[in-house]
Structure formats: structure tokens, C-alpha cells
Amino acid sequence: MANPLTPDVLVDPVALTRALVDIESVSRDEKVIAGHVEDVLRRLPHLSTERHGNTVMARTDLGRGRRVVLAGHLDTVPLNDNFPSTVVDDLIYGCGTSDMKSGVALALHLAATLPEPGYDVTFLFYEAEEIESRFNGLHLVSQAHPQWLEADFAVLLEPTYGVVEAGCQGTLRATVRTAGRRAHTARAWRGVNAIHAAGEVLRRLEDYRPRTIVLDGCTYREGLNAVGISGGVAGNVVPDECAIDVNLRFAPDRDERQAAEHLHEVFAGFDLEVTDSAPGAMPGLASEPAREFLAAVGAEPEAKLGWTDVSRFAALGVSALNYGPGDPLLAHTQDEHVEIGKIRDGAATLYRWLTAYE
Amino acid sequence: MANPLTPDVLVDPVALTRALVDIESVSRDEKVIAGHVEDVLRRLPHLSTERHGNTVMARTDLGRGRRVVLAGHLDTVPLNDNFPSTVVDDLIYGCGTSDMKSGVALALHLAATLPEPGYDVTFLFYEAEEIESRFNGLHLVSQAHPQWLEADFAVLLEPTYGVVEAGCQGTLRATVRTAGRRAHTARAWRGVNAIHAAGEVLRRLEDYRPRTIVLDGCTYREGLNAVGISGGVAGNVVPDECAIDVNLRFAPDRDERQAAEHLHEVFAGFDLEVTDSAPGAMPGLASEPAREFLAAVGAEPEAKLGWTDVSRFAALGVSALNYGPGDPLLAHTQDEHVEIGKIRDGAATLYRWLTAYE
């Protein structure tokens, strides 16, 4: 198949967004799109390009004093009658338009059209962000080629609707279990109903007032929710077990251990097991490259509430933030779309930033 | 597989109890046990035997003036590390020992060893009593072969610990649903958590004070329990639905409609759907065969709290009561067992009753 990412397309981030959306790339099926991106990058003499799995890395080596990363994932959630793209007025509709091929288009456009940026730039186009962490291209690269991620600052082109969303919240999942004693429901007073006992767990969830905290000028809003509940033995048996799965989203001033301790406090007296967690990332806006980036955007940063791969950079000591043209509220929806104006604004902003120190 | 219900086993109701317990027969898996029982009955020349699904009927046709039914279900609740049977001193442990293979053993023992009872006797060994009513063998027979159930009086060999338990409570199952609105858990305030909303349903269940009422000298004790709960979409989604299955056990002075109305009152403000119900049965101790049976037992009757199939007989105009060697408090427990002495007493009592008018 001919590469649809032609020179004519690469110079226009809007056309490039559509071209990328129209290459189907649901998670675990990124081989074709990674091949086209790799092909484009290898033809550019100012970049050294490498590939690991379906993740492609390309970087300048201009001897600038500082290095920044522009990163975006190539995969999308499953199609949902929203492929290929369509354009209505100034909106491009389709799977991945917001999350995050419009962001990927900005990075690829700059890689192709800006041979001498003010900083050395590492471009990362990676696989499998939308599924389990073990498949995540950034995770795999951090294991196999950690030097690819070395930088002073990173921008993740996740959908933020053109504002800077700094850091990210952590996420922790746990199971709270209540126990009882089985009995026939006709003689229920001989048993102890574990589902009734779960009422107290739900009451604490209902009464929970999530914390709001301002860090580096960004307001993080935590949350604690039941995301699953199950219990019951049979239609005539007082149940002896009930399990409530909860998800805590926590601001980045708590680490995973503190988040787990907090949950143990909330559910004191109950059996609680942490099943999964990922750390947040502090906004990290104090560093010089971050301040320069904020100046180029020219607007106040906000807090990123969802978990994103900025926390992988934070774990490596690289301050990182989210910035992209898509609307995060449209991510993973059938109606997903992106505003053409936001794509043009984003390209202009990144160009301004990367040329300010040329 | 050879039939373990050999002539040597059939003459001893204790050995027969163990042999029946050791044939696994969780509801919907009664084919093997029904086959063995049918095989035994078809070899007995004084009985006419028929089968419907996994329900086996055998009856004498001696031209006696009255006909009585001895009925027992072949199925058990799911195994719970209590299979096969074990014997400790004078107790037989195992799934179904109490509910109700010891009762089934009495009926099968009498079918095999008493060719000329004082009444004509219909023996019914039926499937699927422990699950939804639509699978119940006695229900299926009442639709397909109602003449099999015609009689002047019926004894259900449900566990009563050797006393007569009269009538039975009704049972009604319903599903209470709470609704919400989905959202990403990182922005939970945009959604409404349906599992949290279920807390109020569980609170009403915890606060519920069941009624106690005396009818015909028998004390009925009602109960209302959650028997199942489920909800949840994904680990990062505020759930938009939660379903709580409840089971009401109601005294026989309420009919099914009144019981449903009562539940609607308890869960006022919530979406409630009745999924299954069965009426209770009034004690019905005034009939002549009932009085003869009580004389043979020689003890005062008590109220039956569990729902039993006596209500199916009551609905057909056949007065019926519960009488069996098992302890009803052990039914459906992991520790289920039966006293060997109660099996021997039960066999002797039924023999006395069935030969008194020979």
C-alpha cells in the first residue's frame, strides 16, 4: 500500500490528521501506521530514526544545550461506526481524531518541516496506550531503550483542548470485602448477610468528600467510586460474601503507598486489598523548559485529572505535561471529533516554542 | 455405572441415605440419580412407574379407599466441600443429608419394602426444587400429568427434625434497580454512581424488622434478605446501574399480591420488579388423613418457615404437611448432617402409619 503520508500531506497538520485517522490502528494493530510513520521519518536527513516493536523514535542531534520530547500514541480504542473520518464544517469526525491522532499529527508535521529546532527534539510515536500497561510502547521502550526517553522536558500530545494540563492524578483500584454466614433465607436470623453489611461500605462512599488541592497553581480534584459490586450464593441463601471494587483517583502530592493508606482509613474495619495502582505526576512547571513552553502557549495551566503517560516521564525524572488539540471529553466516544482551528493553533504554538531559541 | 441402590441398601434407610447422598445431584444435574431411582421402582411389581423429565412417579393401585402421597426432591444446593458423605458417630455428614435425601430415603425404602400399605400410595421423586419454580419437577408434573398428584393427603419429606411442620411460608423474589449516569472515574462528578445509590436499598434491608404471626397454633416468622447484588461497567467508569435481588419469606396469611405490595412499600421510590413468587400454605390440620398422620407421629405440629412444595398440593386442594428426619437448620450449610436415629424413627413412624389401616 502506498504511503498516504505524502509530502503534501505532511506540510498541512489538518490534512495529516485526517490521513492518520484513516489508517486503522486499534491497539495491537499498529503495524501499518507505525510502518508509514517510520518510512516518513527515515527519509528525513536531519533525524536519526529507530524502531522498537510498533514504536518509532526519531531525534535531532544538533548539539543544543537542552532536549525535549514530543510524544504521542498511535493506537485508538476500538472503532465504533466512526471510521474513516468525515468532515462537517470545521470539525473532523472519527475514531482517534481527539485521542490522539490530531496530537500525533502536530508532532509528525514538526518532525517533517522543522529541521533546525531551538532545542534538540526527540519524537516518539508509540503503540498500545489504550490497553493494559504491559503492552504500552512507552513502557516497553523505558525497559529496552531508556536512553530514548532522556530529556529535560516532555510534552505528551494527549487531548487537552489546547490548554496545558499539567502532571496527572494517580489511580488505585482495590476490592473491599464483607463477610457473613450462610443460612437458608427462611431462617435468615441464623445467618449474617454480607450484602447487608456492604451497606456500610456504600454509605462511606456516599459520604466521602473528595479532596481538592492546588499544586503549582493547578487544581486537582480527587474522587473515590465504586466501579463494581458482586455478591450472592443462590436465591434462597443468606450470602456470606460481598465484594465492592473501588477506584481512587488521587492528586500527585500523594504517592501510591499514601493512597493505599488513605483507602485503608476510609474503609477501616473492612477487609481491603489493593489490586492495581499507578502513580500520579506532579505538575513540574518550575523547570525552565516548562516555563518556556507555558510562555509559548500563553495561558494558565490546569490540572490533568485522568492518568496519562506523563507519569512514566515523571518516574524517570523528566518533567512532562499534556497539551493537544483534542477535547478530552470526546475521547472514547462514538461522536469523537476535533476542531480544525485547534489543530492549526496547536501547530502554531509548538512552532513558536521550538523556534524561539533558534 | 452400576446402580448403587441395591436390594441390600434399599432395606436399610440409613445405608440408603448415604447411597443417595453419594450420587451427586445438584439442581439441573439430576439425570443420574433419577435414572437409578426409576430403575429401582420399575423392578417392583406392586408399583406402576412413570417418568417425566427427571421426575419419577410410582404408585400402588390396591383399590384402597384413600390415596396418600409421599414426595421428596432429588436435587441439592451446590456442593460446598461436603461431598461425598462421611459418618461420625451417629451422624451422616454431606450435601443433601438433611435437605432432603434422608427423607427421600424413607420414601424409597417404603416403596421397596411395603408392597401392601393401608392406603394406596403415590411416591414422587422430583427434580429442581432448590432453584427457580419453572424448573421444579412437581410444578412440571402439575402441568403435564396433574392426575399424578391426585390424593387425599400428602406428606413432603422435607427436613423437620422428626416433628410435623404444618403449612409453609410463601416466598417472593424481586430485583431492585438503581440507575445513574456513566462518566470517567477521573471526572466522577459528571456522573451519578448507581452502586452508591444502592446504599439506601441495603440500609432499608438492614433496618427491616420482620413480622411474627401465629396461625392455627403455629408461629410463622417472616424475613427479607438481599440474596444477590451486581453492578459495574469497567474499572474506570462510574456505573449507571446496580441490581439487588431480594427474597421475602412471608407467612401464609398474606397472598402473593399482598407480599408484592409489601415489598413495593419497603422499597418505595425505587424501581422494583417481582421476578418469582410462590404462595404459602395454611397449616391445614383439620382433614382426617392429617389427623391420622399426627396420631402416628404423636407430637404437636409446628409452623413450617421455609417455602416447600406443600403449597403446590394446597393449591390443588390436597392438604399436605412436612415431615422428615433432617434438621431444617442445617439445610444449605456446609456442615449439613442428619442423625441416624432420626432416620430410623422416621422409617418406623411412616411404617406404623401406612400399616395401621392394613
Side-chain angles (χ1 to χ4, degrees), chain A residues 14-68:
Chain A
V14 175
L16 183 52
T17 296
R18 283 204 73 178
L20 288 166
V21 170
D22 291 344
I23 305 169
E24 193 177 323
S25 59
V26 176
S27 306
R28 308 291 283 152
D29 190 20
E30 302 97 335
K31 192 173 171 184
V32 170
I33 197 168
H36 289 323
V37 168
E38 180 187 9
D39 177 54
V40 163
L41 295 168
R42 286 202 187 277
R43 289 167 195 268
L44 296 166
H46 65 284
L47 296 175
S48 333
T49 301
E50 298 191 57
R51 176 166 173 167
H52 179 81
N54 289 323
T55 294
V56 184
M57 185 280 293
R59 63 182 161 196
T60 64
D61 279 300
L62 301 167
R64 307 292 195 221
R66 283 171 300 179
R67 176 172 293 281
V68 299

Side-chain angles (χ1 to χ4, degrees), chain A residues 173 184-190 193 195-196 199 202-203 221 225-232 235-236 239 247 249 305, chain B residues 130 173 185 188-189 193 195-196 202-203 221 225-232 235-236 239 247 249 305-306 328-329 332:
Chain A
R173 271 180 268 277
H184 195 293
T185 49
R187 295 171 209 90
W189 63 90
R190 297 183 55 91
N193 194 314
I195 295 176
H196 296 193
L202 301 188
R203 184 173 304 138
R221 191 166 169 179
N225 272 270
V227 292
I229 189 166
S230 63
N236 57 359
N247 182 209
R249 299 291 176 142
L305 300 177
Chain B
E130 298 289 4
R173 271 181 268 276
T185 49
W189 64 90
N193 194 312
I195 294 178
H196 297 193
L202 301 189
R203 186 172 302 139
R221 190 166 169 179
N225 272 270
V227 292
I229 190 166
S230 63
N236 58 357
N247 181 209
R249 300 290 176 142
L305 299 177
L329 301 180
H332 304 192

Side-chain angles (χ1 to χ4, degrees), chain B residues 6-337:
Chain B
T6 60
D8 281 356
V9 167
L10 289 163
V11 296
D12 176 3
V14 176
L16 184 51
T17 296
R18 283 204 73 178
L20 288 165
V21 170
D22 291 344
I23 304 169
E24 194 176 322
S25 59
V26 175
S27 307
R28 307 292 284 153
D29 191 19
E30 302 97 334
K31 192 173 171 185
V32 170
I33 197 168
H36 289 323
V37 168
E38 181 186 9
D39 177 53
V40 162
L41 295 169
R42 285 202 187 276
R43 289 166 196 268
L44 296 167
H46 64 283
L47 297 174
S48 338
T49 300
E50 298 191 58
R51 177 165 172 167
H52 180 81
N54 289 323
T55 295
V56 184
M57 184 281 293
R59 64 181 160 197
T60 64
D61 279 301
L62 301 167
R64 308 292 195 220
R66 285 172 297 181
R67 174 173 293 281
V68 299
V69 169
L70 290 182
H73 62 81
L74 295 171
D75 63 318
T76 69
V77 294
L79 306 185
N80 189 7
D81 279 332
N82 55 3
F83 181 88
S85 66
T86 51
V87 172
V88 178
D89 299 329
D90 62 339
L91 304 176
I92 306 175
Y93 283 83
C95 186
T97 45
S98 164
D99 187 10
M100 60 180 281
K101 286 181 174 174
S102 52
V104 167
L106 298 190
L108 193 56
H109 164 71
L110 288 166
T113 58
L114 187 61
E116 297 202 342
Y119 318 114
D120 271 313
V121 183
T122 301
F123 298 95
L124 275 162
F125 302 97
Y126 63 99
E127 64 185 320
E129 190 269 350
E130 298 289 4
I131 56 173
E132 298 114 280
S133 186
R134 66 194 168 102
F135 297 115
N136 183 295
L138 216 51
H139 165 69
L140 297 176
V141 161
S142 75
Q143 306 289 309
H145 307 285
Q147 71 284 5
W148 293 7
L149 305 182
E150 285 169 10
D152 299 289
F153 176 58
V155 175
L156 233 71
L157 294 146
E158 287 280 359
T160 65
Y161 203 55
V163 304
V164 172
E165 292 191 349
C168 78
Q169 297 205 128
T171 179
L172 184 148
R173 271 181 268 276
T175 301
V176 185
R177 285 176 207 283
T178 58
R181 192 171 61 244
R182 290 191 197 187
H184 196 292
T185 49
R187 297 177 204 86
W189 64 90
R190 295 177 59 91
V192 177
N193 194 312
I195 294 178
H196 297 193
E200 172 62 17
V201 176
L202 301 189
R203 186 172 302 139
R204 293 192 195 175
L205 284 164
E206 260 183 312
D207 292 347
Y208 186 80
R209 293 291 162 266
R211 195 176 62 126
T212 294
I213 187 166
V214 179
L215 302 167
D216 251 1
C218 298
T219 302
Y220 290 90
R221 190 166 169 179
E222 298 186 331
L224 177 59
N225 272 270
V227 292
I229 190 166
S230 63
V233 176
N236 58 357
V237 178
V238 174
D240 59 350
E241 190 179 297
C242 184
I244 305 101
D245 296 320
V246 299
N247 181 209
L248 173 68
R249 300 290 176 142
F250 55 96
D253 64 324
R254 302 198 209 240
D255 64 19
E256 292 168 276
R257 187 183 53 77
Q258 290 166 326
E261 280 171 5
H262 176 62
L263 267 201
H264 278 287
E265 281 163 23
V266 171
F267 297 110
F270 288 94
D271 174 45
L272 180 143
E273 184 191 5
V274 173
T275 52
D276 186 26
S277 76
M282 290 295 281
L285 301 175
S287 73
E288 196 185 333
R291 284 187 281 116
E292 290 165 357
F293 182 81
L294 291 174
V297 175
E300 287 303 303
E302 299 178 4
K304 185 67 182 178
L305 299 177
W307 189 89
T308 78
D309 280 325
V310 300
S311 84
R312 294 189 200 278
F313 285 102
L316 295 167
V318 180
S319 85
L321 49 73
N322 305 280
Y323 172 80
D327 181 344
L329 301 180
L330 297 173
H332 304 192
T333 68
Q334 187 173 29
D335 189 44
E336 185 173 359
H337 58 263

Side-chain angles (χ1 to χ4, degrees), chain A residues 74-96:
Chain A
L74 296 170
D75 63 318
T76 69
V77 294
L79 306 184
N80 189 8
D81 280 331
N82 54 3
F83 181 90
S85 66
T86 52
V87 172
V88 179
D89 299 328
D90 62 340
L91 303 176
I92 306 175
Y93 283 83
C95 186

